[in-house]
Amino acid sequence: MTTQQLSVPPDEEPTIGRLIADTSRDFSTLLRDEVELLKTELKVSVRAGGISIALFAVAGFLGLLAIIMISFALAFFLDWWFAGTATSFLLVFAIYLLIAAGLAYVGVRKMKKVKPPEQTIESVKETKRVLKRS
């Protein structure tokens, strides 16, 4: 039994005011505890999120370095196989431009399919109308 429960004698019925005060205090305590739990969980999540972002950044950087290295290897392979050094590097450059153009084309087509959240917008407008009438 808690001390709040002991303050009311067992043979007496608590008053409405007492019940409201107890409920308000308990609700306030519950909210305070929930906020503390949220802070603790977020601290752990933010730390894990920060570490994963750093790992993704390093992986992206290493991927970029790998692309640069394979580009040089391809250019020197083309130089060895049939073309001069400058021509080989220009061919690799042209290949990357074609890939970039293809990806941009696909990206633009996908972007045209993006629509605004019409149901949500309508719901917010309806809520706004209802609140104005109240």
Side-chain angles (χ1 to χ4, degrees):
M1 260 189 180
T2 63
T3 56
Q4 290 99 14
Q5 291 172 337
L6 291 177
S7 63
V8 177
D11 56 349
E12 283 185 30
E13 286 288 322
T15 64
I16 297 289
R18 180 76 176 155
L19 290 173
I20 291 173
D22 289 347
T23 302
S24 175
R25 184 187 62 247
D26 292 344
F27 185 71
S28 176
T29 302
L30 177 65
L31 282 179
R32 206 174 10 258
D33 291 345
E34 290 293 330
V35 168
E36 281 301 314
L37 178 62
L38 176 66
K39 285 180 184 178
T40 303
E41 286 180 332
L42 283 178
K43 192 181 298 183
V44 171
S45 294
V46 166
R47 186 176 299 131
I51 290 171
S52 18
I53 288 172
L55 291 173
F56 279 125
V58 170
F61 178 71
L62 291 175
L64 182 64
L65 289 179
I67 290 171
I68 292 170
M69 292 303 292
I70 197 69
S71 298
F72 274 102
L74 179 61
F76 284 120
F77 174 75
L78 291 174
D79 176 42
W80 170 76
W81 193 38
F82 76 94
T85 305
T87 307
S88 298
F89 277 90
L90 285 174
L91 280 173
V92 171
F93 173 73
I95 290 169
Y96 281 133
L97 279 182
L98 287 174
I99 292 171
L103 291 173
Y105 176 73
V106 171
V108 167
R109 290 189 50 148
K110 293 284 185 183
M111 185 65 80
K112 287 182 180 179
K113 293 180 181 178
V114 174
K115 303 286 185 222
E118 294 168 358
Q119 290 179 341
T120 303
I121 291 170
E122 188 57 39
S123 174
V124 168
K125 286 179 181 178
E126 181 63 28
T127 303
K128 187 177 173 183
R129 282 193 292 268
V130 168
L131 290 177
K132 280 186 177 181
R133 280 187 257 157
S134 298

